[in-house]
Amino acid sequence: MPSSVIRTVRLVGRLLAAAAAVLVLVAVFLALIVATDGAGSGFAAWSATLGIALVAALRRGRRRTWRGRLVPFLPVLVAAALTLSVCVPTVPTTRRHPPALPFVTTEHWSLSTGSRVAVYHYPPTGHGPRRRVPLVYLNGGPVRGISVLDHHFLQRLAGQGHDVYAYEQAGGGRSEPLPMGQYSIDRSVRDLGALLDRLGSSDVLGFSSGAVVLTRALADPAVAARLHRAIIAEPGPMDGPTTRIAGQKGRPSARGIAPPMTGPRSTHVPRYAVAFGLMRLGLLSPDNGLVGQAEGDNALTAADLGSDTASGYCARDAHRIPVEDTARNFSFSAAASLRVQQTVKDSPSIARQLRRSRTPAMLMIAECSSQVRQWETTVLADDPAVRRTQYMPGVGHHMWNGLGDNDERAAAVITAFLQNKAAPLPDYPTRSDIPAFLRAHR
């Protein structure tokens, strides 16, 4: 074999060995990140990995020439540079709240629970009758700012005579954050109760995770006493047993077929890709030492949630999904959201308490729902005060989305229930329809 070929084979072998060494060191670093829960912004894991790598490189180079001794250190330098990028913040580490919206005043209310939340008020407008009972909106997330698209829908409801209040739950949007250990589904319910203490008896519209807060409020007599009427729109799982239900979803959504969202992604930055990825896998705690709550909130972008956004729309709308929010208004606390979701998973059943509910309620279900159907039908089965169910054709999880007449239809359903008028759609499914409804949506 020619000597040039031999040299080439040896060079390729050395490069492969160096690449393998780099991968091993990166794996060790990630394992230590998990073991230390990201302590010291990841520098504890980085220092330990570097120390291990240096010791190994010194041992490998002991019997080599001085030039040969340098070779084992090359993978160490590459791995050190790669892993160091996980330890260095690229966004501010103190919270940056979104700027004020130009079309509505942001008020800040200090609740009796200790939370300080951003509140938005849309007084009733239009020429129709005006309702004296306030309507409170609980947005999804959890711990996410209210999108501009949702604000436009709230303006539509105000235009139909509703006195609309919306607030961003603690840690979301312009609301002040809580210490990570204080986020929980029970705290969210108590915050709702404290807000209703100020407003008095109110109608409440809860969407997605906001519908979970509302459902649990219906099961809490102290809060339910201040609920006039409840609209439960596209709820997530209401308690631990419900989260463990593995059922079917609605008609196909746009997830996986919609064009990728444009704009910057924090998950293209190694630090946040590692942090958010490990948190989502449950390998880092929400209160980890790698990326603090404020930094994580500042880093996350709307484009990071692209597939989740697409899942809120029907497959037929995959190529016309609207822009739900502006980059300046977008706010989502991934760590706090995971913390709240975990407390739902850990909570006992609320079915017994919910069966004692007497607050008139309506359930809204989307045709292309990305939610497990049994999450929705469990509420219908366990809450005897659900008076009607409105199955919304042609829409996904985000039922009011600015497409076609979707907002108008959703507003008509909500207004009819709150004014105790005939429903625009059939009452479907009823409790007796649940088995057939689930069979039809396999």
Side-chain angles (χ1 to χ4, degrees), residues 74-122:
L74 293 177
V76 176
L77 292 175
V78 174
L82 288 175
T83 53
L84 184 62
S85 66
V86 177
C87 304
V88 180
T90 62
V91 299
T93 56
T94 55
R95 185 72 174 97
R96 295 183 305 179
H97 293 290
L101 291 165
F103 49 79
V104 65
T105 300
T106 305
E107 303 177 29
H108 284 90
W109 291 8
S110 295
L111 305 179
S112 60
T113 56
S115 298
R116 184 168 172 78
V117 297
V119 180
Y120 310 92
H121 182 208
Y122 292 101

mmCIF file of all heavy atoms in Angstrom, residues 74-122:
data_model
loop_
_atom_site.group_PDB
_atom_site.id
_atom_site.type_symbol
_atom_site.label_atom_id
_atom_site.label_comp_id
_atom_site.label_asym_id
_atom_site.label_seq_id
_atom_site.Cartn_x
_atom_site.Cartn_y
_atom_site.Cartn_z
ATOM 1 N N LEU A 74 -6.413 18.733 21.828
ATOM 2 C CA LEU A 74 -7.239 19.373 20.809
ATOM 3 C C LEU A 74 -8.734 19.090 21.010
ATOM 4 O O LEU A 74 -9.556 20.014 20.976
ATOM 5 C CB LEU A 74 -6.781 18.925 19.415
ATOM 6 C CG LEU A 74 -5.376 19.410 19.007
ATOM 7 C CD1 LEU A 74 -4.994 18.859 17.635
ATOM 8 C CD2 LEU A 74 -5.327 20.933 18.999
ATOM 9 N N PRO A 75 -9.144 17.816 21.230
ATOM 10 C CA PRO A 75 -10.564 17.566 21.510
ATOM 11 C C PRO A 75 -11.047 18.284 22.772
ATOM 12 O O PRO A 75 -12.205 18.701 22.853
ATOM 13 C CB PRO A 75 -10.646 16.045 21.683
ATOM 14 C CG PRO A 75 -9.446 15.509 21.005
ATOM 15 C CD PRO A 75 -8.391 16.565 21.167
ATOM 16 N N VAL A 76 -10.127 18.428 23.732
ATOM 17 C CA VAL A 76 -10.501 19.121 24.967
ATOM 18 C C VAL A 76 -10.848 20.576 24.671
ATOM 19 O O VAL A 76 -11.855 21.114 25.158
ATOM 20 C CB VAL A 76 -9.363 19.037 26.007
ATOM 21 C CG1 VAL A 76 -9.733 19.850 27.256
ATOM 22 C CG2 VAL A 76 -9.082 17.592 26.366
ATOM 23 N N LEU A 77 -10.011 21.223 23.846
ATOM 24 C CA LEU A 77 -10.257 22.625 23.506
ATOM 25 C C LEU A 77 -11.571 22.785 22.739
ATOM 26 O O LEU A 77 -12.353 23.707 22.998
ATOM 27 C CB LEU A 77 -9.089 23.171 22.682
ATOM 28 C CG LEU A 77 -7.759 23.314 23.409
ATOM 29 C CD1 LEU A 77 -6.658 23.753 22.436
ATOM 30 C CD2 LEU A 77 -7.883 24.328 24.552
ATOM 31 N N VAL A 78 -11.814 21.888 21.777
ATOM 32 C CA VAL A 78 -13.061 21.962 20.989
ATOM 33 C C VAL A 78 -14.267 21.745 21.889
ATOM 34 O O VAL A 78 -15.255 22.498 21.836
ATOM 35 C CB VAL A 78 -13.026 20.928 19.845
ATOM 36 C CG1 VAL A 78 -14.377 20.896 19.128
ATOM 37 C CG2 VAL A 78 -11.915 21.259 18.858
ATOM 38 N N ALA A 79 -14.212 20.718 22.725
ATOM 39 C CA ALA A 79 -15.336 20.428 23.617
ATOM 40 C C ALA A 79 -15.554 21.551 24.621
ATOM 41 O O ALA A 79 -16.696 21.904 24.939
ATOM 42 C CB ALA A 79 -15.101 19.108 24.347
ATOM 43 N N ALA A 80 -14.456 22.128 25.102
ATOM 44 C CA ALA A 80 -14.576 23.230 26.071
ATOM 45 C C ALA A 80 -15.282 24.421 25.434
ATOM 46 O O ALA A 80 -16.126 25.067 26.061
ATOM 47 C CB ALA A 80 -13.201 23.635 26.581
ATOM 48 N N ALA A 81 -14.928 24.723 24.171
ATOM 49 C CA ALA A 81 -15.566 25.850 23.487
ATOM 50 C C ALA A 81 -17.046 25.568 23.240
ATOM 51 O O ALA A 81 -17.905 26.442 23.441
ATOM 52 C CB ALA A 81 -14.849 26.129 22.170
ATOM 53 N N LEU A 82 -17.359 24.356 22.789
ATOM 54 C CA LEU A 82 -18.757 24.009 22.510
ATOM 55 C C LEU A 82 -19.612 24.075 23.774
ATOM 56 O O LEU A 82 -20.716 24.636 23.773
ATOM 57 C CB LEU A 82 -18.835 22.611 21.902
ATOM 58 C CG LEU A 82 -18.337 22.454 20.460
ATOM 59 C CD1 LEU A 82 -18.364 20.981 20.058
ATOM 60 C CD2 LEU A 82 -19.209 23.268 19.513
ATOM 61 N N THR A 83 -19.134 23.492 24.832
ATOM 62 C CA THR A 83 -19.921 23.431 26.058
ATOM 63 C C THR A 83 -19.979 24.778 26.772
ATOM 64 O O THR A 83 -20.950 25.072 27.472
ATOM 65 C CB THR A 83 -19.356 22.359 27.011
ATOM 66 O OG1 THR A 83 -17.955 22.579 27.209
ATOM 67 C CG2 THR A 83 -19.562 20.962 26.424
ATOM 68 N N LEU A 84 -18.924 25.607 26.579
ATOM 69 C CA LEU A 84 -18.943 26.930 27.200
ATOM 70 C C LEU A 84 -20.108 27.766 26.651
ATOM 71 O O LEU A 84 -20.680 28.596 27.362
ATOM 72 C CB LEU A 84 -17.619 27.648 26.946
ATOM 73 C CG LEU A 84 -17.449 29.016 27.619
ATOM 74 C CD1 LEU A 84 -17.500 28.888 29.133
ATOM 75 C CD2 LEU A 84 -16.133 29.666 27.180
ATOM 76 N N SER A 85 -20.488 27.525 25.385
ATOM 77 C CA SER A 85 -21.595 28.272 24.792
ATOM 78 C C SER A 85 -22.921 27.995 25.499
ATOM 79 O O SER A 85 -23.853 28.785 25.399
ATOM 80 C CB SER A 85 -21.730 27.927 23.304
ATOM 81 O OG SER A 85 -22.118 26.575 23.131
ATOM 82 N N VAL A 86 -22.996 26.887 26.220
ATOM 83 C CA VAL A 86 -24.206 26.567 26.982
ATOM 84 C C VAL A 86 -24.239 27.336 28.302
ATOM 85 O O VAL A 86 -25.293 27.490 28.918
ATOM 86 C CB VAL A 86 -24.287 25.044 27.231
ATOM 87 C CG1 VAL A 86 -25.485 24.676 28.091
ATOM 88 C CG2 VAL A 86 -24.351 24.290 25.900
ATOM 89 N N CYS A 87 -23.101 27.845 28.718
ATOM 90 C CA CYS A 87 -23.008 28.494 30.034
ATOM 91 C C CYS A 87 -23.125 30.017 29.983
ATOM 92 O O CYS A 87 -23.271 30.650 31.034
ATOM 93 C CB CYS A 87 -21.678 28.127 30.699
ATOM 94 S SG CYS A 87 -21.389 26.362 30.867
ATOM 95 N N VAL A 88 -23.054 30.590 28.794
ATOM 96 C CA VAL A 88 -22.998 32.052 28.678
ATOM 97 C C VAL A 88 -24.331 32.599 28.172
ATOM 98 O O VAL A 88 -24.767 32.257 27.066
ATOM 99 C CB VAL A 88 -21.868 32.476 27.727
ATOM 100 C CG1 VAL A 88 -21.814 33.997 27.619
ATOM 101 C CG2 VAL A 88 -20.532 31.919 28.213
ATOM 102 N N PRO A 89 -25.023 33.441 28.946
ATOM 103 C CA PRO A 89 -26.304 34.012 28.500
ATOM 104 C C PRO A 89 -26.122 34.894 27.267
ATOM 105 O O PRO A 89 -25.097 35.573 27.118
ATOM 106 C CB PRO A 89 -26.759 34.845 29.702
ATOM 107 C CG PRO A 89 -26.006 34.308 30.870
ATOM 108 C CD PRO A 89 -24.694 33.842 30.320
ATOM 109 N N THR A 90 -27.115 34.893 26.389
ATOM 110 C CA THR A 90 -27.094 35.769 25.214
ATOM 111 C C THR A 90 -28.241 36.777 25.251
ATOM 112 O O THR A 90 -28.382 37.559 24.309
ATOM 113 C CB THR A 90 -27.178 34.943 23.917
ATOM 114 O OG1 THR A 90 -28.414 34.222 23.891
ATOM 115 C CG2 THR A 90 -26.029 33.959 23.819
ATOM 116 N N VAL A 91 -29.063 36.730 26.287
ATOM 117 C CA VAL A 91 -30.125 37.721 26.483
ATOM 118 C C VAL A 91 -30.025 38.227 27.914
ATOM 119 O O VAL A 91 -29.373 37.603 28.759
ATOM 120 C CB VAL A 91 -31.534 37.113 26.236
ATOM 121 C CG1 VAL A 91 -31.672 36.603 24.814
ATOM 122 C CG2 VAL A 91 -31.843 36.011 27.257
ATOM 123 N N PRO A 92 -30.662 39.360 28.233
ATOM 124 C CA PRO A 92 -30.615 39.858 29.616
ATOM 125 C C PRO A 92 -31.147 38.838 30.617
ATOM 126 O O PRO A 92 -32.075 38.066 30.315
ATOM 127 C CB PRO A 92 -31.507 41.100 29.562
ATOM 128 C CG PRO A 92 -31.465 41.544 28.140
ATOM 129 C CD PRO A 92 -31.377 40.290 27.328
ATOM 130 N N THR A 93 -30.577 38.844 31.792
ATOM 131 C CA THR A 93 -30.990 37.886 32.827
ATOM 132 C C THR A 93 -31.962 38.499 33.826
ATOM 133 O O THR A 93 -32.358 37.836 34.784
ATOM 134 C CB THR A 93 -29.758 37.351 33.571
ATOM 135 O OG1 THR A 93 -29.019 38.447 34.102
ATOM 136 C CG2 THR A 93 -28.870 36.557 32.634
ATOM 137 N N THR A 94 -32.324 39.764 33.613
ATOM 138 C CA THR A 94 -33.396 40.381 34.393
ATOM 139 C C THR A 94 -34.608 40.538 33.486
ATOM 140 O O THR A 94 -34.473 40.771 32.288
ATOM 141 C CB THR A 94 -32.977 41.754 34.944
ATOM 142 O OG1 THR A 94 -32.545 42.588 33.870
ATOM 143 C CG2 THR A 94 -31.842 41.606 35.943
ATOM 144 N N ARG A 95 -35.795 40.427 34.075
ATOM 145 C CA ARG A 95 -37.024 40.361 33.280
ATOM 146 C C ARG A 95 -37.270 41.620 32.477
ATOM 147 O O ARG A 95 -37.196 42.728 32.996
ATOM 148 C CB ARG A 95 -38.226 40.118 34.211
ATOM 149 C CG ARG A 95 -39.551 39.910 33.464
ATOM 150 C CD ARG A 95 -39.584 38.573 32.769
ATOM 151 N NE ARG A 95 -40.882 38.316 32.168
ATOM 152 C CZ ARG A 95 -41.174 38.535 30.884
ATOM 153 N NH1 ARG A 95 -40.262 39.042 30.082
ATOM 154 N NH2 ARG A 95 -42.372 38.250 30.410
ATOM 155 N N ARG A 96 -37.576 41.421 31.195
ATOM 156 C CA ARG A 96 -37.992 42.512 30.318
ATOM 157 C C ARG A 96 -39.462 42.309 29.962
ATOM 158 O O ARG A 96 -39.807 41.374 29.232
ATOM 159 C CB ARG A 96 -37.157 42.530 29.031
ATOM 160 C CG ARG A 96 -35.688 42.839 29.215
ATOM 161 C CD ARG A 96 -34.980 42.907 27.878
ATOM 162 N NE ARG A 96 -35.179 41.672 27.117
ATOM 163 C CZ ARG A 96 -34.682 41.463 25.903
ATOM 164 N NH1 ARG A 96 -33.967 42.395 25.299
ATOM 165 N NH2 ARG A 96 -34.896 40.313 25.281
ATOM 166 N N HIS A 97 -40.324 43.155 30.511
ATOM 167 C CA HIS A 97 -41.743 43.032 30.205
ATOM 168 C C HIS A 97 -42.034 43.624 28.837
ATOM 169 O O HIS A 97 -41.347 44.554 28.392
ATOM 170 C CB HIS A 97 -42.585 43.754 31.263
ATOM 171 C CG HIS A 97 -42.513 43.120 32.616
ATOM 172 N ND1 HIS A 97 -43.089 41.907 32.898
ATOM 173 C CD2 HIS A 97 -41.913 43.515 33.767
ATOM 174 C CE1 HIS A 97 -42.868 41.594 34.162
ATOM 175 N NE2 HIS A 97 -42.143 42.546 34.705
ATOM 176 N N PRO A 98 -43.050 43.118 28.144
ATOM 177 C CA PRO A 98 -43.414 43.713 26.855
ATOM 178 C C PRO A 98 -43.815 45.170 27.038
ATOM 179 O O PRO A 98 -44.333 45.558 28.091
ATOM 180 C CB PRO A 98 -44.617 42.860 26.409
ATOM 181 C CG PRO A 98 -44.510 41.584 27.186
ATOM 182 C CD PRO A 98 -43.895 41.957 28.497
ATOM 183 N N PRO A 99 -43.601 45.998 26.019
ATOM 184 C CA PRO A 99 -44.031 47.400 26.111
ATOM 185 C C PRO A 99 -45.543 47.506 26.125
ATOM 186 O O PRO A 99 -46.250 46.536 25.802
ATOM 187 C CB PRO A 99 -43.439 48.031 24.840
ATOM 188 C CG PRO A 99 -43.305 46.886 23.890
ATOM 189 C CD PRO A 99 -42.970 45.689 24.724
ATOM 190 N N ALA A 100 -46.061 48.675 26.493
ATOM 191 C CA ALA A 100 -47.504 48.882 26.573
ATOM 192 C C ALA A 100 -48.148 48.702 25.204
ATOM 193 O O ALA A 100 -47.558 49.028 24.167
ATOM 194 C CB ALA A 100 -47.804 50.271 27.116
ATOM 195 N N LEU A 101 -49.363 48.184 25.204
ATOM 196 C CA LEU A 101 -50.127 48.045 23.967
ATOM 197 C C LEU A 101 -50.722 49.402 23.594
ATOM 198 O O LEU A 101 -51.143 50.161 24.469
ATOM 199 C CB LEU A 101 -51.244 47.017 24.149
ATOM 200 C CG LEU A 101 -50.778 45.560 24.298
ATOM 201 C CD1 LEU A 101 -51.906 44.694 24.828
ATOM 202 C CD2 LEU A 101 -50.257 45.020 22.972
ATOM 203 N N PRO A 102 -50.799 49.716 22.314
ATOM 204 C CA PRO A 102 -51.288 51.036 21.919
ATOM 205 C C PRO A 102 -52.804 51.195 21.987
ATOM 206 O O PRO A 102 -53.306 52.310 21.974
ATOM 207 C CB PRO A 102 -50.802 51.164 20.468
ATOM 208 C CG PRO A 102 -50.713 49.755 19.979
ATOM 209 C CD PRO A 102 -50.294 48.941 21.163
ATOM 210 N N PHE A 103 -53.533 50.058 22.076
ATOM 211 C CA PHE A 103 -54.994 50.143 21.962
ATOM 212 C C PHE A 103 -55.738 49.855 23.265
ATOM 213 O O PHE A 103 -56.957 49.879 23.302
ATOM 214 C CB PHE A 103 -55.493 49.189 20.876
ATOM 215 C CG PHE A 103 -54.946 47.777 20.991
ATOM 216 C CD1 PHE A 103 -55.469 46.876 21.895
ATOM 217 C CD2 PHE A 103 -53.883 47.376 20.195
ATOM 218 C CE1 PHE A 103 -54.964 45.602 22.009
ATOM 219 C CE2 PHE A 103 -53.367 46.095 20.295
ATOM 220 C CZ PHE A 103 -53.906 45.199 21.204
ATOM 221 N N VAL A 104 -55.022 49.578 24.339
ATOM 222 C CA VAL A 104 -55.684 49.331 25.618
ATOM 223 C C VAL A 104 -54.713 49.688 26.743
ATOM 224 O O VAL A 104 -53.497 49.495 26.619
ATOM 225 C CB VAL A 104 -56.148 47.866 25.745
ATOM 226 C CG1 VAL A 104 -54.953 46.909 25.763
ATOM 227 C CG2 VAL A 104 -57.018 47.659 26.986
ATOM 228 N N THR A 105 -55.250 50.215 27.829
ATOM 229 C CA THR A 105 -54.427 50.589 28.982
ATOM 230 C C THR A 105 -54.119 49.361 29.828
ATOM 231 O O THR A 105 -55.002 48.540 30.087
ATOM 232 C CB THR A 105 -55.155 51.634 29.845
ATOM 233 O OG1 THR A 105 -55.399 52.793 29.053
ATOM 234 C CG2 THR A 105 -54.313 52.019 31.059
ATOM 235 N N THR A 106 -52.879 49.253 30.237
ATOM 236 C CA THR A 106 -52.481 48.177 31.147
ATOM 237 C C THR A 106 -52.560 48.679 32.582
ATOM 238 O O THR A 106 -51.893 49.652 32.940
ATOM 239 C CB THR A 106 -51.045 47.715 30.857
ATOM 240 O OG1 THR A 106 -50.926 47.346 29.490
ATOM 241 C CG2 THR A 106 -50.676 46.530 31.745
ATOM 242 N N GLU A 107 -53.391 48.036 33.384
ATOM 243 C CA GLU A 107 -53.448 48.325 34.816
ATOM 244 C C GLU A 107 -52.736 47.203 35.561
ATOM 245 O O GLU A 107 -52.675 46.075 35.085
ATOM 246 C CB GLU A 107 -54.897 48.432 35.288
ATOM 247 C CG GLU A 107 -55.726 49.483 34.559
ATOM 248 C CD GLU A 107 -57.184 49.479 35.038
ATOM 249 O OE1 GLU A 107 -57.409 49.115 36.219
ATOM 250 O OE2 GLU A 107 -58.068 49.804 34.239
ATOM 251 N N HIS A 108 -52.219 47.513 36.725
ATOM 252 C CA HIS A 108 -51.599 46.478 37.552
ATOM 253 C C HIS A 108 -52.345 46.399 38.881
ATOM 254 O O HIS A 108 -52.422 47.394 39.605
ATOM 255 C CB HIS A 108 -50.110 46.769 37.775
ATOM 256 C CG HIS A 108 -49.275 46.460 36.568
ATOM 257 N ND1 HIS A 108 -49.011 47.397 35.588
ATOM 258 C CD2 HIS A 108 -48.654 45.315 36.172
ATOM 259 C CE1 HIS A 108 -48.272 46.845 34.643
ATOM 260 N NE2 HIS A 108 -48.028 45.592 34.977
ATOM 261 N N TRP A 109 -52.893 45.231 39.131
ATOM 262 C CA TRP A 109 -53.658 45.019 40.358
ATOM 263 C C TRP A 109 -52.860 44.129 41.300
ATOM 264 O O TRP A 109 -52.364 43.067 40.902
ATOM 265 C CB TRP A 109 -54.990 44.353 40.056
ATOM 266 C CG TRP A 109 -55.970 45.211 39.303
ATOM 267 C CD1 TRP A 109 -55.750 46.434 38.749
ATOM 268 C CD2 TRP A 109 -57.334 44.887 39.034
ATOM 269 N NE1 TRP A 109 -56.886 46.903 38.148
ATOM 270 C CE2 TRP A 109 -57.881 45.984 38.309
ATOM 271 C CE3 TRP A 109 -58.149 43.808 39.331
ATOM 272 C CZ2 TRP A 109 -59.210 46.002 37.871
ATOM 273 C CZ3 TRP A 109 -59.469 43.815 38.901
ATOM 274 C CH2 TRP A 109 -59.990 44.912 38.181
ATOM 275 N N SER A 110 -52.756 44.551 42.549
ATOM 276 C CA SER A 110 -52.145 43.721 43.583
ATOM 277 C C SER A 110 -53.248 42.907 44.243
ATOM 278 O O SER A 110 -54.150 43.460 44.865
ATOM 279 C CB SER A 110 -51.432 44.599 44.617
ATOM 280 O OG SER A 110 -50.351 45.287 44.028
ATOM 281 N N LEU A 111 -53.183 41.601 44.096
ATOM 282 C CA LEU A 111 -54.214 40.721 44.624
ATOM 283 C C LEU A 111 -53.906 40.329 46.063
ATOM 284 O O LEU A 111 -52.760 40.406 46.520
ATOM 285 C CB LEU A 111 -54.336 39.474 43.746
ATOM 286 C CG LEU A 111 -54.597 39.714 42.254
ATOM 287 C CD1 LEU A 111 -54.675 38.380 41.516
ATOM 288 C CD2 LEU A 111 -55.880 40.517 42.054
ATOM 289 N N SER A 112 -54.930 39.888 46.757
ATOM 290 C CA SER A 112 -54.761 39.491 48.162
ATOM 291 C C SER A 112 -53.877 38.269 48.317
ATOM 292 O O SER A 112 -53.377 37.992 49.407
ATOM 293 C CB SER A 112 -56.138 39.224 48.792
ATOM 294 O OG SER A 112 -56.812 38.180 48.100
ATOM 295 N N THR A 113 -53.640 37.532 47.225
ATOM 296 C CA THR A 113 -52.771 36.356 47.276
ATOM 297 C C THR A 113 -51.296 36.730 47.265
ATOM 298 O O THR A 113 -50.434 35.886 47.491
ATOM 299 C CB THR A 113 -53.049 35.460 46.061
ATOM 300 O OG1 THR A 113 -52.865 36.248 44.866
ATOM 301 C CG2 THR A 113 -54.463 34.901 46.090
ATOM 302 N N GLY A 114 -50.996 37.995 46.958
ATOM 303 C CA GLY A 114 -49.617 38.427 46.812
ATOM 304 C C GLY A 114 -49.192 38.579 45.368
ATOM 305 O O GLY A 114 -48.122 39.142 45.086
ATOM 306 N N SER A 115 -50.013 38.106 44.435
ATOM 307 C CA SER A 115 -49.702 38.265 43.014
ATOM 308 C C SER A 115 -50.002 39.690 42.568
ATOM 309 O O SER A 115 -50.938 40.325 43.056
ATOM 310 C CB SER A 115 -50.527 37.279 42.171
ATOM 311 O OG SER A 115 -50.224 35.947 42.508
ATOM 312 N N ARG A 116 -49.203 40.159 41.623
ATOM 313 C CA ARG A 116 -49.444 41.471 40.996
ATOM 314 C C ARG A 116 -49.598 41.224 39.505
ATOM 315 O O ARG A 116 -48.633 40.848 38.830
ATOM 316 C CB ARG A 116 -48.311 42.441 41.287
ATOM 317 C CG ARG A 116 -48.553 43.863 40.747
ATOM 318 C CD ARG A 116 -47.549 44.848 41.306
ATOM 319 N NE ARG A 116 -47.632 46.160 40.668
ATOM 320 C CZ ARG A 116 -48.554 47.074 40.941
ATOM 321 N NH1 ARG A 116 -49.484 46.812 41.859
ATOM 322 N NH2 ARG A 116 -48.561 48.233 40.308
ATOM 323 N N VAL A 117 -50.834 41.414 39.004
ATOM 324 C CA VAL A 117 -51.144 40.994 37.644
ATOM 325 C C VAL A 117 -51.517 42.178 36.763
ATOM 326 O O VAL A 117 -52.046 43.194 37.233
ATOM 327 C CB VAL A 117 -52.283 39.955 37.635
ATOM 328 C CG1 VAL A 117 -51.860 38.691 38.384
ATOM 329 C CG2 VAL A 117 -53.563 40.520 38.238
ATOM 330 N N ALA A 118 -51.237 42.024 35.472
ATOM 331 C CA ALA A 118 -51.616 43.022 34.466
ATOM 332 C C ALA A 118 -53.066 42.781 34.065
ATOM 333 O O ALA A 118 -53.442 41.647 33.721
ATOM 334 C CB ALA A 118 -50.699 42.919 33.262
ATOM 335 N N VAL A 119 -53.871 43.828 34.113
ATOM 336 C CA VAL A 119 -55.301 43.730 33.820
ATOM 337 C C VAL A 119 -55.636 44.661 32.658
ATOM 338 O O VAL A 119 -55.141 45.796 32.586
ATOM 339 C CB VAL A 119 -56.146 44.107 35.054
ATOM 340 C CG1 VAL A 119 -57.637 44.008 34.755
ATOM 341 C CG2 VAL A 119 -55.785 43.203 36.243
ATOM 342 N N TYR A 120 -56.490 44.177 31.764
ATOM 343 C CA TYR A 120 -56.940 44.956 30.613
ATOM 344 C C TYR A 120 -58.462 45.037 30.646
ATOM 345 O O TYR A 120 -59.139 44.031 30.853
ATOM 346 C CB TYR A 120 -56.474 44.295 29.307
ATOM 347 C CG TYR A 120 -55.004 43.963 29.315
ATOM 348 C CD1 TYR A 120 -54.552 42.708 29.742
ATOM 349 C CD2 TYR A 120 -54.052 44.902 28.945
ATOM 350 C CE1 TYR A 120 -53.206 42.402 29.782
ATOM 351 C CE2 TYR A 120 -52.692 44.612 28.978
ATOM 352 C CZ TYR A 120 -52.282 43.359 29.396
ATOM 353 O OH TYR A 120 -50.940 43.053 29.438
ATOM 354 N N HIS A 121 -58.989 46.232 30.416
ATOM 355 C CA HIS A 121 -60.439 46.451 30.512
ATOM 356 C C HIS A 121 -60.966 46.967 29.185
ATOM 357 O O HIS A 121 -60.475 47.983 28.671
ATOM 358 C CB HIS A 121 -60.750 47.440 31.642
ATOM 359 C CG HIS A 121 -62.210 47.676 31.831
ATOM 360 N ND1 HIS A 121 -62.723 48.861 32.337
ATOM 361 C CD2 HIS A 121 -63.290 46.879 31.586
ATOM 362 C CE1 HIS A 121 -64.038 48.777 32.397
ATOM 363 N NE2 HIS A 121 -64.404 47.593 31.937
ATOM 364 N N TYR A 122 -61.958 46.266 28.662
ATOM 365 C CA TYR A 122 -62.661 46.710 27.465
ATOM 366 C C TYR A 122 -64.116 46.995 27.845
ATOM 367 O O TYR A 122 -64.925 46.065 27.948
ATOM 368 C CB TYR A 122 -62.606 45.640 26.373
ATOM 369 C CG TYR A 122 -61.219 45.415 25.807
ATOM 370 C CD1 TYR A 122 -60.449 44.332 26.218
ATOM 371 C CD2 TYR A 122 -60.687 46.284 24.871
ATOM 372 C CE1 TYR A 122 -59.179 44.120 25.700
ATOM 373 C CE2 TYR A 122 -59.417 46.087 24.343
ATOM 374 C CZ TYR A 122 -58.662 45.007 24.762
ATOM 375 O OH TYR A 122 -57.403 44.806 24.260
#
